[in-house]
Amino acid sequence: MANGEKRDYYEVLGVHRNASETEIKKAFRKEAIQHHPDKNPGDKAAEDRFKEATEAYEVLSDPQKRAQYDQFGHAGLSGGGGFSSNGFGAGTPFGDIFGDIFGDIFGGAGGGRGRPQGRRGDDLLYNMEISFEEAAFGVEKKIDVPFAKRCGTCNGSGAKPGTDPKTCPTCRGAGQVRDQQGFFSVSKTCGHCNGEGKVVESPCPDCRGKGSVKDTKTLSVKIPGGVETGSRLKVTGEGGQGKGGPNGDLYVAISVRDHVLFQREDNNVICEIPISFVQASLGCELDVPTLDGKVAMKIPEGTQSGKIYRLKGKGIPSLQGYGRGDQLVVVKVETPINLNKKQKELLEEFAKISGENIHPLKKGFVDKVMDFLS
């Protein structure tokens, strides 16, 4: 990589930024199998690609690290990649994914893949839009989530009641077939049974052999105060139903609606307040709107347009649960328009008293313009 800069982790794995946990794992598995050092002996480029993919997966597979990376990029990660010096195995938080990879590379050796295992349910993504105030203080929302649940007619087998799935004739129940590639014997998921080890000859009439049917469940999701657009909340076990394995997870992606009065900057709230020329000149007291209601604020005399006043502790609560930001009140002085004759006379009189020339095109200025154009 040029100048030692790290590539975007999503680009490394070839997935989009809203990719599910399952998609990320699948993409990493593909990269790891292709570029593993034991499959590419002496190939420094392949080894570097493997380490790069491992580092990306270590971050994107961890919801907390992924959230930090999504918000701050590489700068938000204090610990770097965290993979071991040899690029695989010990010292990494990847669970049994390396066992799966080694099984694919070495034809099952060390992978424990001699027979089909239960499948984890799919992760689900739910897009939720909330108001500015709900994002600031938190809210509990009920949502209807579509998911695939185990078919009650066949109890998830996919077979018609009274019949049973048969052993797959292609893989003979192993769920995998081996493919010789040069010196390597590579195990692949059986395409005939999709890794199940069994095939359904008489499909269940309700699920049509899938073993699951579509359903909807209502969940109550607690949104903590301090979230913002782009925040993702994980609800463990509320994704798709597993088949012999655990359920997937539900991810709630937050989108915050714009507010008519407030804007957010980190944990601070910005509010622009218009005042008149007279109020700015003589000073006044205003009722300023905040997230907690109206607050009386004194505007000193001689206030200039663009002046910023700070209301301590009137901003957004910290997502970590301590403290609040401030509200920044930006004063905008309005120039009067549509003046009547009397108002104009008074302003002209004010200008004369102040020694102010209300006709800026003085002779000296006109002379400069003529010199410039000549």
Side-chain angles (χ1 to χ4, degrees):
M1 290 168 283
N3 300 324
E5 295 182 358
K6 291 185 178 182
R7 285 201 298 157
D8 179 80
Y9 285 149
Y10 292 97
E11 178 186 340
V12 170
L13 296 183
V15 297
H16 54 79
R17 302 191 76 84
N18 288 329
S20 67
E21 184 177 309
T22 300
E23 290 172 323
I24 290 173
K25 181 175 180 179
K26 183 178 179 181
F28 169 64
R29 189 170 178 271
K30 178 181 177 182
E31 286 288 316
I33 290 174
Q34 182 179 353
H35 300 293
H36 195 281
D38 289 341
K39 194 173 181 181
N40 302 273
D43 189 338
K44 184 65 167 58
E47 180 181 349
D48 290 342
R49 283 289 300 273
F50 178 79
K51 290 182 179 180
E52 185 182 38
T54 303
E55 179 178 342
Y57 179 74
E58 191 267 339
V59 172
L60 299 185
S61 63
D62 185 309
Q64 184 175 355
K65 291 181 180 179
R66 181 178 181 180
Q68 289 178 313
Y69 179 73
D70 286 346
Q71 188 169 5
F72 303 108
H74 293 292
L77 304 171
S78 58
F83 50 92
S84 58
S85 59
N86 62 4
F88 61 92
T92 61
F94 300 111
D96 62 352
I97 188 171
F98 281 102
D100 293 345
I101 293 171
F102 293 149
D104 279 343
I105 294 176
F106 301 112
R113 296 176 62 87
R115 61 188 178 196
Q117 299 177 344
R119 290 192 304 183
R120 182 181 181 276
D122 292 334
D123 291 333
L124 301 178
L125 178 66
Y126 186 94
N127 295 311
M128 177 184 291
E129 186 179 71
I130 60 177
S131 70
F132 194 93
E133 290 87 351
E134 289 172 336
F137 298 115
V139 66
E140 186 168 340
K141 293 275 191 178
K142 290 189 180 297
I143 60 175
D144 292 327
V145 181
F147 75 110
K149 72 172 184 178
R150 182 180 292 109
C151 176
T153 303
C154 65
N155 199 29
S157 70
K160 182 179 179 180
T163 67
D164 294 311
K166 304 297 183 182
T167 300
C168 175
T170 302
C171 65
R172 298 181 181 179
Q176 295 182 344
V177 292
R178 292 190 177 186
D179 182 20
Q180 192 71 30
Q181 297 183 1
F183 293 103
F184 297 97
S185 178
V186 180
S187 291
K188 296 182 178 180
T189 301
C190 177
H192 189 106
C193 64
N194 293 321
E196 296 291 336
K198 295 182 179 295
V199 292
V200 176
E201 295 181 346
S202 300
C204 169
D206 289 342
C207 67
R208 298 181 181 180
K210 294 181 180 179
S212 62
V213 293
K214 293 181 179 180
D215 200 358
T216 301
K217 56 185 173 184
T218 301
L219 299 175
S220 183
V221 179
K222 290 184 177 180
I223 310 298
V227 296
E228 56 188 320
T229 295
S231 297
R232 287 163 58 105
L233 308 177
K234 179 181 178 181
V235 186
T236 304
E238 294 295 352
Q241 193 165 37
K243 193 170 184 180
N247 290 349
D249 300 322
L250 171 66
Y251 289 88
V252 180
I254 300 298
S255 175
V256 182
R257 291 192 294 271
D258 292 335
H259 197 279
V260 67
L261 294 176
F262 305 125
Q263 292 181 332
R264 179 172 179 173
E265 184 178 89
D266 297 326
N267 283 344
N268 294 329
V269 171
I270 300 174
C271 181
E272 293 187 352
I273 302 295
I275 63 174
S276 70
F277 166 76
V278 175
Q279 288 174 315
S281 300
L282 303 180
C284 63
E285 184 171 304
L286 299 176
D287 285 334
V288 176
T290 73
L291 291 172
D292 300 306
K294 293 181 179 179
V295 171
M297 189 178 76
K298 290 185 177 181
I299 304 296
E301 63 179 50
T303 293
Q304 302 299 307
S305 188
K307 176 68 176 178
I308 299 176
Y309 296 97
R310 186 181 296 267
L311 297 177
K312 298 288 289 185
K314 293 297 182 181
I316 305 290
S318 169
L319 187 58
Q320 285 71 36
Y322 55 87
R324 287 180 64 175
D326 303 327
Q327 177 163 318
L328 307 179
V329 180
V330 183
V331 174
K332 296 292 184 181
V333 179
E334 292 185 311
T335 301
I337 59 175
N338 299 325
L339 299 175
N340 59 35
K341 182 179 180 181
K342 181 65 174 176
Q343 290 172 322
K344 290 179 180 179
E345 290 175 351
L346 289 173
L347 283 177
E348 290 174 353
E349 183 65 23
F350 173 79
K352 291 178 181 178
I353 295 174
S354 303
E356 179 182 347
N357 192 329
I358 61 173
H359 303 289
L361 291 179
K362 298 178 181 178
K363 183 179 183 302
F365 179 77
V366 174
D367 290 342
K368 292 178 182 178
V369 172
M370 297 302 294
D371 289 341
F372 174 76
L373 296 177
S374 63

